[in-house]
Every structure is written in C-alpha cells, then in structure tokens.
Amino acid sequence: MSHEHRDDTGARFGMWIFLYTEVILFSGLFILYAVSLSKFPEQYSIASHKLNIYFGGANTLVLLTSSLTMAMAITAIQRGRKKQTLILCCSTIGLALLFLVNKFFEWSAEIGHGIYPGSEELAAMGPGVTNFFNLYYFTAGLHGIHVIIGATLIGVVTVLVSKGRVNSEQYTLLENSALYWHLVDLVWIFLFPLYYLIL
Amino acid sequence: MSETPSRYGGFFTESPRSGILGWVTSTDHKRIGLLYLGCIVTMFIVGAVLGLALRLQLFEPGTGIMEAQTYNATFTVHGVIMIFLFIIPSIPAAFGNLLLPIQIGARDVSFPRVNLLSWYCYIAGAILAVTAIFSGGGPPDTGWTFYVPFSTQTTTNVNLAVSAAFMLGFSSILTGINFVTTIHRLRCKGMGWGKLPLFVWTLYATAWIQVLATPMIGITLALIFVERIFGAGLFDVAKGGDPILFQHLFWIYSHPAVYIMILPGMGVISEIIPVFARKPLFGYWAMALSSLAIAFAGSLVWAHHMYASGMSDMAIMIFSFLTFIVAIPSAIKIFNWVSTLYKGSIQLAPPMLYALSFIFLFAIGGLGGLALGAAAADIHLHDTTFVVGHFHYTMFGGTGFAFFAALHYWLPKFFARMYNHKIATLAWALIFVGFNVTYMAMQAVGIQGMPRRYYDYLPQFGPLNMVATIGSWILAVGLIIMFVNLWRGIRYGTPVGKNPWGGATLEWEVPSPPPMENFGAEDPVVTRGPYDFKGVIADEP
Ligand code: HEM
Ligand SMILES: [Cu+2]
C-alpha cells in the first residue's frame, strides 16, 4: 500500500458496531430467559438458590477489577509508560485466568451434584429447573468463551506493546481490546444478578 | 484471469504479489470482490442444478428421479446454498466490494484485512456446507429453516450445516461493519450524504441489517448445535423449552434477511434506470430514505411467518398490519423508478432489460407477499407452492435479476471488454419467459392446494407441474447462454473504454480496469450529483 491510511476514529467506530453485534448475540439468550422466567417463576427461584453465590460474587469482583486494570493500562500508554502498561495488561490476563479457574471449580461442584445438561438427576427436578440450568450453562459458557477470546486479544496486544508497535502515538488496538473487555464485563454484570441474585 | 500483456491491465497487473497468492492474500477491495463473485456464481450454478433436479422430479406424479428422502435433502441443500451462499452475499459482497469504495471516492474499505477475513469465513462456510452433504448421516433434510423439533432429532448431518450457516453469518457481519464504517469515514471531498449514489445508500441500509440482525441467527443456530450435542433442550417442551421460540428467534433474523437480499438489488436498479433513461433519478431522497425505512420496518414483521404456528389473534393482527406497512416504502421505490422512465429517452441495452424485468417481477412477488401477509389468505396459502412461487419471484425475479443486471452493467467496467449484445438479449428473453412460466405455474398450483416440500402429488396437480418443469428448462437454457456469453465477453469481447454506458457516478471516471487504489495521486473531489448527466456522454462503441 503506497498510501499509508490511518483512521483511529474509524477503527473505534468499527469496534463499537462490532460490540453491538455481541450485545444482540447475548440478547437472544436474555429473551429466552425472560420468556422462561414468566413461564416458571417458582421453579426459577428454586433453581437459582442452588447456585453458589460466593463463586458468582467472587467472579464479579474479579471481572470488575480486571476492567479497572484495563482502563488504567490505557491511561498508562497515553502517558508513554510502557512498563506500567505491560504490568497492567498482564494483571488483566491474570484476572481473566482467575475467573476461569473459579468457574471451573464452580461448574465441577455443580456437575458433581448431577446438575448438567442432559443429566437424569436434573430432569427429575422438573422442566422449570432443567430449563434454568440449561440456559445458565449455555449463557455462562458463551460468556466464558468470550473471556478466553478477550484475554487472548489482550495477550496479543501486550506482545505488540512490548515490541513497541503499540505505543503512546498509536494505541487504538489497545483501546479496542479494552472496549471488548468491558463488554465481556458488562455481560457478566447482567448475568450475575439474573442468575444468582434477584430470584 | 489472464490479460494480454500489451493492454493496460489496471488492478489485474498492478498487484504487489503475482499469481494466485496475489489474489488470495490481496486486501484490494476489487480483487476481493472478484474472488467473491467467482465463488458466488459457482454456488448459484450448483444451486440451480439442484433446483432443476427438484423440478424434474415434479414433472409427473410418482417417484421419478428420486425417493422422498433424496428430495428432502435436495430442497434443503438447494435452499441453504441459494440463501446463505448465493443470495445474501451476492450483490453486497461481490458488487459492493467492487464498487462501494470507488463510488464514494475512497481508495479501499476502512478495514481491508477484515475484508479479506470475511472472504475466508465465506470459504470456510462453503467448505463446511459441502462437507455436510457428503459426510456424517447424509445431507441435511430439514429445509433451509432448520425448524425444531425435527432439526434436533434427525440423524442427518445438521450439525455441520448449522455451523456452515454460522460461519457465513460471521462473514456477513464483517462485511456489514466494514461498509458502515467506510461510508461514514471515507467519503471523498464533496461527497456529501446527498451525493451518494443510491447503490451506496442501499448498501448502507443493508449493512446495518447485517450487523443488527445476523447475531440473532448466530445464537439460534448455536442453540440447535448444543441441543444436538449436549441435549440442552432449550426448544424441547419436555425440558421446559419452547419450540415456538425457535421460530421467533429464527425469523427475527430471517425476515430482516430478506431485506439484506433485496435492498442491494434495488440499489443496482436505481443505478441502471437513470443511465439508460438519460434522466436524473426521480425522488432522490425518497429513494434514499425508503431504504432506511424498509430496513427499520422490516425488523418488526417477523411473525408473519408464523400465523399457522400458534399465536394470539391480537398478535396476528398486529403483525399482519405491520407487514402491510413495509409494502409502502417498497412501493415508493417502484413508483419512483417508473416516474424516472416517464419521458426518458430509453435505451434497451441488456442491463436495462434486466432492470425493467426486475420491476415487473418484483411487483408480482411483492403483491403476492401482501396476499400472504393477510392472515386470512395465509391460512389457506401457508406451506403451499404459492409461497415457493412468491419467494422465487422476489428473490430470484428480484435480486437474481438485479444480480444479472449488475453483471451486464459492471463487468465491462472491470474487464474493459464488452459481451455480445444480441446474444445477451436472447438470453434475457429466454430467462424472462422461462422464469414466468415456471413460477407462475407454481403459484397457480399452490392456490389449488399443492403443498410445498412434497416429492409427490395428487394427479389433479399434474398439468401445471408439467408446465412449471418445462418452464424450468427454458430458464436453464437462458442461464447457460447468459453465462457463456458473459464469460466469452470478459475474455474475448471487443475492448471498451472507461464509460461505455454514459454513467455519471465516479466509477465511470476512472480507467477500465480501475487501477490499484482506484484514483491516481490526487484524491477525487466531487462537484456534481450521481445522476447529473449534463455533459456526460457514452464512449463511441
Ligand atoms: C434454476 C433456478 C431455480 C429452480 C428451478 C428452483 C426450483 C425450486 C424448487 C422446485 C423448490 C422446491 C419446492 C418444494 O418442493 O418445496 C425450490 C425451493 C427453494 N428455492 Fe429454488 N429454484 C431456483 C432458483 C432459486 C434461487 C435463485 C433462489 C434464491 C434466492 C432459490 C431459493 C429457494 C429456497 C430458499 C427454497 C426453499 C427450500 C426449502 O423449502 O427449505 N431458488 N426451488
Ligand atoms: Cu417475512
């Protein structure tokens, strides 16, 4: 390309549109949640109490903190503090891993109790509870995949920062990964109360 | 894609890499557009062969060339290929990529690498779809709509088929994001919103639908997938799910998707009609805004596909009413095209013939759509071959013909060679006649009560089915002549200059084929409107 074309606003604009598509992806699941909740209000509440709120609460804290470290990473790079940026990005990735480990233990415990899609014990709890857990596993699972994608993305950007390809002059990529990460956080902020808290 | 070396080759010869790598790693929007075009035409031909096989089976009652299961698989694969691999990407991904940047005076799209990625997603989707046909429990037999509970229970290879559709959806989203951003950010100097060619306006509206609606099909197909693999049961009544919800989620995407299919076609027609009537387009803003109106209103009518599946009468009435509302912006477009023709000096060149038949066929399809949108009539017509006739009129008679019009209008631009007009006119006539015979007969036999997706039928439906099948042969001959003529045209046709039709949009001002980066050293500056033909004359043939 002879004309080096650079349009940071355009890149952010594109990212925002992409985030809309993610919101709509999850909104399909929230629609299912709303419809099923109105169909099985009591069973949903019974099922919700089977979830361990400590796991969920801890993960909420982890994700909120990771959003903070990510936002701080941007300020750091704007000020040209490369080392600080690297540390903050790595902490975000660390927190993402922590989230996944936590999730692993939570799910293992639930699966240990015979609660997983297709299990007979779950089926014995009746259609409402089954539906709650099926939806829960699918929504949280999809969110988990997004955590992995987001962390990988941040990992790539971290390498680019250390190589100096992302720097205080040109950091749209870091900003865009941060936007993505905030979205991952935001989805969880809706997920957590809907499944663990309000019922 | 070889070119005689002595001639100026534009982007065909100016690539940084040569050979096949220069194509499959190129981020140039014109090369990506041509890659798409090649794949899309191939897919159309495969799909059309399957369609002809369906018609052949229906030639007479009884088992002809296939058994019931083969028939089910054939119409499913025909539908999946035509919808996801042909018509959704057809005009936006092929001609949108080729033309959008040039028409707004840009050197490329906003995210050239994402653009290439979208093509690879398309290829991955195509490979998955083809693998689905030849592996596992056999080709999928659910129909392209993948309705539950059948799609979660059949032993055929639905898993791969839905993954293919998922991948293709992703490709479509990436194209959408690219186009919206490009249109917002990369218009050249002087190219205000009021100077955009209408093709760009329709691509803009389409891109928004692609971005906002496609994720819904993504999640729906993903749910089918997990249901089949893990027994997630979200659409299974026994597990507290609801099969009707599947239909809602599916149509929340798939109804807007019909506007992804038709809007770019309407844009092509809006480009062609003024050029061959030598008159500015009638009602520019009405045309531009009606595209957005269609995109908006079109997302509120999905449940008109479900009158027969169980819904409250109130909901039926609301969706029926909203369906009638969407017809208004479409009708605005039809009236404006006709008004543009009024007192124009009309030249019946091949692109214009396709454009005029688009108006005729789309009007028939659209009016049939109103008959189906009216709940009372739909209860009778639902799941008959009337529906099949109706959507072939809108999608094939509409978008398909617009795609052919675009091929005849723009290929001479990108290959700098002209096909034979006499043969093109003959092909058009055969396609037009064959098309009407085939699908009018299908609509008629549908009104008599012939169900769709049946491989066999009662003897009283015999005559009209025979007529439809004979029509499909005329159609097939026309298609073959058209493709051969176009192919010969781009290879050996008479060389033409940069503006063979006398168009006033920017693409006709750059050399043919357009150079890499479209414009020379200077960025273009636009001073007049896209349909301002004063002083614009076609090159001498
Ligand atoms: C040579 C051209 C074509 C022929 C002969 C043809 C013929 C047919 C026939 C006979 C059916 C099945 C009727 C039934 O039993 O239900 C069918 C279904 C269908 N066709 Fe075509 N068709 C052609 C082109 C197209 C094009 C260009 C499109 C797309 C845009 C298309 C989209 C579809 C779809 C979506 C279905 C429904 C499949 C389903 O029921 O799941 N066809 N076609
Ligand atoms: Cu519809």
Side-chain angles (χ1 to χ4, degrees), chain B residues 323-523:
Chain B
T323 303
F324 277 70
I325 299 278
V326 205
I328 296 173
S330 312
I332 291 179
K333 287 193 181 287
I334 297 217
F335 288 127
N336 281 358
W337 289 321
V338 176
S339 311
T340 308
L341 293 171
Y342 181 67
K343 286 193 173 161
S345 59
I346 294 170
Q347 298 161 333
L348 290 178
M352 186 63 160
L353 290 172
Y354 283 101
L356 293 176
S357 34
F358 171 99
I359 301 181
F360 179 74
L361 301 174
F362 183 73
I364 295 181
L367 292 172
L370 284 180
L372 294 165
D378 184 60
I379 299 299
H380 175 67
L381 294 172
H382 183 79
D383 262 347
T384 63
T385 54
F386 181 83
V387 177
V388 181
H390 152 71
F391 65 67
H392 282 88
Y393 262 98
T394 51
M395 294 193 299
F396 189 1
T399 315
F401 271 65
F403 182 70
F404 300 158
L407 287 172
H408 286 88
Y409 184 56
W410 278 307
L411 283 187
K413 175 81 219 167
F414 287 93
F415 290 88
R417 285 179 188 273
M418 185 59 81
Y419 48 83
N420 181 318
H421 281 210
K422 283 216 180 71
I423 300 180
T425 309
L426 170 73
W428 165 80
L430 288 172
I431 294 177
F432 183 71
V433 171
F435 179 92
N436 278 297
V437 172
T438 310
Y439 297 108
M440 203 42 101
M442 281 172 80
Q443 289 198 325
V445 76
I447 292 179
Q448 293 174 6
M450 160 127 176
R452 73 186 274 206
R453 294 177 170 169
Y454 273 40
Y455 87 116
D456 192 7
Y457 49 84
L458 297 173
Q460 73 250 35
F461 301 137
L464 280 172
N465 268 301
M466 198 174 278
V467 171
T469 304
I470 293 172
S472 74
W473 297 336
I474 305 177
L475 178 58
V477 174
L479 288 173
I480 294 171
I481 298 179
M482 181 190 78
F483 281 125
V484 171
N485 184 42
L486 284 173
W487 177 251
R488 290 179 53 89
I490 59 178
R491 296 300 299 267
Y492 321 108
T494 31
V496 285
K498 65 180 183 178
N499 196 358
W501 311 119
T505 36
L506 271 183
E507 77 268 29
W508 305 107
E509 285 175 22
V510 300
S512 295
M516 218 62 182
E517 308 230 309
N518 307 337
F519 305 97
E522 297 283 309
D523 282 332

Side-chain angles (χ1 to χ4, degrees), chain B residues 251 254-256 258-259 298 301-305 323 390:
Chain B
W251 287 111
S254 295
H255 188 82
V258 308
Y259 298 109
V301 301
W302 73 88
H304 63 208
H305 296 269
T323 303
H390 152 71

